[in-house]
Amino acid sequence: MRQLLIAGNWKMHGTRASAARLAGETLQALDASTDRDIVVCPPFVHLVEVGRAIQGSSVILGAQNLCAEEDGAYTGEVSGAMLRDCGCRYVIVGHSERRALYGENDALVARKFMAAQRASLTPILCLGETLEQRRRGQSREVVTRQLHAVLDAAGIAAFGQATIAYEPVWAIGTGNTATPEQAQEVHALIRSSLAAQDAKIAAAIRLLYGGSVKASNAAALFHMPDIDGGLVGGASLQAQEFAAICRAGAASI
Ligand code: PGA
């Protein structure tokens, strides 16, 4: 049985003080249960503070993005090694906001995925179609293309140390969650694409759903056979709500 993984994507909010406070409140709100992994992903400049606040707890630190390059003249960028040095173990790669607002294409996302692994970070690779693409019936095609861009570049073995998040763009921050059945269909597609290359890796990898996950819909989503957790945005900024999502996860396995 795959252990559930719930990741909080805090996006670009807050101050060092408020991030540390949120981390503390999140720890307090969570129960002591260890039957799932919980990751929080604050902005870069809050990583050290949040790392300090969660030190000694079972909550894991992650980042929201990284540079595809290792070191050198890349003004404004942050490398995987720097994130690792700040205590990160996970990093989100290819979030739809990065793809849509910062021009990250499939090839760059694949390079970031590999850069994360070179730095001993577990990438959380985000895949998902836009509303327009879903309306045109292209969801499966888009997700398959995004997945294969990384699979072809990194190889199937790399997915033994990775997590994938299916995040339909039309569900992110909109309150319009995919139904458990809609999400399950795409998750099953992702797992079977991986299984075509390595059944063991496909069975073990955790596939997260993201897009307006809340305490009220988490259990139904996490109950689906190929949904192994969530990538939670807005709701992770409220400690009680995030903890309730984590509990819903625990109750569903
Ligand atoms: P949301 O964001 O939960 O606010 O929809 C999810 C995400 O962008 O990872």
Side-chain angles (χ1 to χ4, degrees), residues 7-9 11 92 95-97 126 165 167 171-175 210-214 231-236:
N9 174 8
K11 305 196 181 182
I92 299 171
H95 190 280
S96 67
E97 286 152 19
C126 298
E167 294 207 308
I172 296 175
T174 59
S212 298
V213 176
K214 313 179 246 274
L231 180 53
V232 183
S236 69

Side-chain angles (χ1 to χ4, degrees), residues 99-209:
R99 292 178 190 259
L101 304 173
Y102 300 98
E104 293 194 9
N105 59 21
D106 288 342
L108 179 59
V109 171
R111 288 177 53 227
K112 290 191 173 198
F113 179 97
M114 293 186 285
Q117 292 193 328
R118 277 197 304 276
S120 303
L121 296 165
T122 300
I124 301 175
L125 170 66
C126 298
L127 313 172
E129 81 286 0
T130 63
L131 184 58
E132 196 51 38
Q133 290 163 335
R134 174 158 283 263
R135 285 198 177 129
R136 284 199 229 111
Q138 297 171 332
S139 307
R140 297 173 69 88
E141 180 190 324
V142 169
V143 169
T144 301
R145 189 204 73 220
Q146 292 173 336
L147 176 63
H148 276 273
V150 182
L151 205 44
D152 294 351
I156 183 68
F159 285 79
Q161 266 317 309
T163 295
I164 295 175
Y166 168 56
E167 294 207 308
V169 178
W170 47 273
I172 296 175
T174 59
N176 300 323
T177 321
T179 65
E181 293 73 23
Q182 283 173 323
Q184 166 60 27
E185 189 198 337
V186 180
H187 281 231
L189 167 74
I190 295 169
R191 204 180 300 281
S192 68
S193 302
L194 297 171
Q197 299 197 17
D198 190 312
K200 245 180 149 166
I201 284 177
I205 194 169
R206 290 185 286 194
L207 305 181
L208 315 183
Y209 167 79

